[in-house]
Amino acid sequence: MAHKHTADPTEIMRATGHPELEYAAGWTIAGLVTIGTIVAAWVFAI
């Protein structure tokens, strides 16, 4: 019996089966946002 994916993006993301990649991607994005915020504050001397 084939499993049908719903149109819900959260269901599609959860169905990928690669939690370690999602974890690494989440930390990478969070790190880049943090660095970007620090650089922006430094550049604009906030």
Side-chain angles (χ1 to χ4, degrees), residues 2-3 8 13 15 17 29 32 37-39 46:
H3 178 73
D8 186 8
M13 289 300 292
I29 292 167
L32 290 174
T37 302
I38 292 168
V39 170
I46 298 171

Side-chain angles (χ1 to χ4, degrees), residues 19-31:
E20 66 280 354
L21 293 179
E22 294 168 14
Y23 181 82
W27 276 107
T28 301
I29 292 167

